[in-house]
Amino acid sequence: MATVIATINLKGGVAKTTTSVGLAEILSSEFKKKVLFIDLDPQTNGTTMLIGEHAWKELNDQGYTLARLFESALKPNEYNFDLENTLQRNVSNILSVMSLDLIPSSLDLIKVQDELAKVPMGPLYANNPTDILRKAIQPILNNYDYILIDCPPNLGIITLNGLRIADGYMIPTIPDVLSTYGIPQIINRVNDFAWEIGYPIETLGIVITKYKENSNIHKTTLRKLKREIDAPLLSGIFKENNQMASAADFTMTYATFRQKWGYGGQFDAFYSLANEIVERYERNEH
Ligand SMILES: Nc1ncnc2c1ncn2[C@@H]1O[C@H](COP(=O)(O)OP(=O)(O)O)[C@@H](O)[C@H]1O
Ligand SMILES: [Mg+2]
């Protein structure tokens, strides 16, 4: 069975997508895992980082994105989500990443999101709106070691679809006041949802992103996060770094993970994050 990990924060711009994409790429290139990246965020940044804007537009014109899945779910009589053509195989602009697939998102998810919010919820409804993704990807779940889900910056129906299949989730955050605000609420909501579906969703922890060593507020917030017991800090601190931002440009091609993400500690940060996750989930497997 695949291990499924979601990435959540209510705040945008905290490197959720950057963390998820880099983690997916290193799990493939250095750990030789079979990885699926599911882009649930209507911003579609994870998708364009992995296949580029041009390829995304073509897929979007043909209806081969997750927007089609959720639109279809709203009109069950006209279900026409095509998993086979939506699934993008062997993505990423790093040549040594050879086992990473993608289920792309779409900007059109924004309006679907609003319509989904009006669908009645609860166990009495056969078409539970939080179960749409799980049903759709069931046939391919076992083809992967890891499935990473980049969620939108809210706890709406689409995010709950991601959590529905998640074994655990991580919360990337910039260690400042506004980015860390709301973390206890995320943890409580996820715990409530896990209880509702009767399946545990582990709080893997917080990932520190865009860390500025010369910032007093970053230092203080980091210390505070270490002391607090809401969620543990995951291994690997991602410092503010220009090459991390350049990694969003798909038009470049790289031979190795290090070439794309840079040599200034980024490799080590991604490696230790991936290693912690792999050790946690594979400790008891042989
Ligand atoms: N360590 C970093 N240093 C500098 N810029 C970064 C770093 N991590 C991410 N970025 C940039 O910050 C912006 C927000 O990151 P992104 O991953 O899109 O956040 P989110 O998905 O939370 O909205 C992007 O422009 C990204 O390239
Ligand atoms: Mg994002």
Side-chain angles (χ1 to χ4, degrees), residues 75 77 100 122 138 163 171 178 185 209 236 251 283-284:
K75 297 175 253 163
N77 299 331
L100 173 57
Q138 191 84 6
L163 288 172
I171 310 171
L178 294 180
Q185 283 73 13
T209 62
T251 60
R283 210 171 14 212
N284 300 319

Side-chain angles (χ1 to χ4, degrees), residues 16-18 41 43 45-46 150-151:
K16 272 189 309 298
T17 303
T18 305
D41 191 347
Q43 288 195 4
N45 295 149
D150 194 18
C151 294

Side-chain angles (χ1 to χ4, degrees), residues 164 191-201:
R164 180 68 186 79
N191 283 339
D192 288 350
F193 182 67
W195 189 84
E196 285 165 34
I197 60 174
Y199 186 86
I201 309 172

Side-chain angles (χ1 to χ4, degrees), residues 7 9 11-20 41 43 45-46 49 150-151 153 172 174 208-211 238-249 261 266:
T7 309
N9 193 320
K11 182 110 176 109
V14 295
K16 272 189 309 298
T17 303
T18 305
T19 306
S20 314
D41 191 347
Q43 288 195 4
N45 295 149
M49 279 180 78
D150 194 18
C151 294
I174 303 169
I208 301 298
T209 62
K210 297 169 98 165
Y211 182 63
F238 295 90
K239 292 180 191 156
E240 171 98 355
N241 170 289
N242 287 334
Q243 198 161 350
M244 288 277 291
S246 308
D249 179 9
W261 291 96
Q266 295 90 297

Side-chain angles (χ1 to χ4, degrees), residues 34 90 93 137 149 186 197 233 267 283:
K34 283 189 253 165
N90 195 11
N93 55 349
I137 68 157
I149 308 180
I186 298 174
I197 60 174
L233 285 192
F267 180 89
R283 210 171 14 212

Side-chain angles (χ1 to χ4, degrees), residues 1-279:
M1 267 301 258
T3 297
V4 184
I5 299 167
T7 309
I8 309 181
N9 193 320
L10 301 179
K11 182 110 176 109
V14 295
K16 272 189 309 298
T17 303
T18 305
T19 306
S20 314
V21 169
L23 181 60
E25 289 179 330
I26 204 162
L27 281 170
S28 170
S29 72
E30 312 302 314
F31 292 78
K32 307 297 173 205
K33 302 294 178 190
K34 283 189 253 165
V35 186
L36 173 65
F37 188 101
I38 301 180
D39 188 2
L40 277 184
D41 191 347
Q43 288 195 4
T44 315
N45 295 149
T47 299
T48 54
M49 279 180 78
L50 288 170
I51 61 172
E53 224 178 309
H54 180 75
W56 169 74
K57 277 197 184 114
E58 281 186 359
L59 291 172
N60 198 49
D61 288 344
Q62 294 167 289
Y64 296 148
T65 74
L66 281 175
R68 175 59 65 80
L69 168 67
F70 289 103
E71 281 159 12
S72 271
L74 287 165
K75 297 175 253 163
N77 299 331
E78 299 163 41
Y79 190 88
N80 60 351
F81 175 66
D82 181 343
L83 178 63
E84 185 56 28
N85 280 308
T86 303
L87 181 67
Q88 300 304 300
R89 293 173 177 83
N90 195 11
V91 298
S92 165
N93 55 349
I94 303 175
L95 299 175
S96 64
V97 171
M98 292 188 291
S99 53
L100 173 57
D101 294 352
L102 165 76
I103 300 188
S105 187
S106 167
L107 297 167
D108 300 333
L109 258 185
I110 295 167
K111 60 176 189 290
V112 190
Q113 195 165 239
D114 296 338
E115 287 172 46
L116 277 171
K118 296 178 210 146
V119 175
M121 281 251 266
L124 294 178
Y125 292 89
N127 287 317
N128 187 324
T130 64
D131 218 16
I132 298 165
L133 179 68
R134 190 184 66 83
K135 286 182 182 156
I137 68 157
Q138 191 84 6
I140 57 167
L141 268 181
N142 286 329
N143 300 350
Y144 299 97
D145 300 311
Y146 288 92
I147 299 182
L148 301 183
I149 308 180
D150 194 18
C151 294
N154 59 55
L155 288 165
I157 304 284
I158 292 191
T159 298
L160 295 181
N161 268 273
L163 288 172
R164 180 68 186 79
I165 55 172
D167 296 296
Y169 69 102
M170 41 181 201
I171 310 171
T173 187
I174 303 169
D176 64 23
V177 178
L178 294 180
S179 305
T180 51
Y181 185 75
I183 290 179
Q185 283 73 13
I186 298 174
I187 296 170
N188 286 336
R189 179 66 188 106
V190 175
N191 283 339
D192 288 350
F193 182 67
W195 189 84
E196 285 165 34
I197 60 174
Y199 186 86
I201 309 172
E202 216 178 341
T203 308
L204 294 173
I206 292 169
V207 182
I208 301 298
T209 62
K210 297 169 98 165
Y211 182 63
K212 291 188 209 147
E213 282 162 307
N214 56 3
S215 151
N216 279 328
I217 188 73
H218 280 207
K219 274 190 269 189
T220 319
T221 312
L222 180 56
R223 235 181 285 131
K224 190 161 152 274
L225 286 170
K226 278 183 182 157
R227 264 202 322 268
E228 280 171 5
I229 44 154
D230 290 330
L233 285 192
L234 282 160
S235 317
I237 291 185
F238 295 90
K239 292 180 191 156
E240 171 98 355
N241 170 289
N242 287 334
Q243 198 161 350
M244 288 277 291
S246 308
D249 179 9
F250 179 79
T251 60
M252 301 284 290
T253 303
Y254 304 91
T256 63
F257 185 92
R258 271 192 177 82
Q259 265 181 20
K260 174 169 171 179
W261 291 96
Y263 294 83
Q266 295 90 297
F267 180 89
D268 293 341
F270 274 120
Y271 194 93
S272 37
L273 175 61
N275 198 49
E276 180 173 349
I277 288 170
V278 167
E279 283 194 345

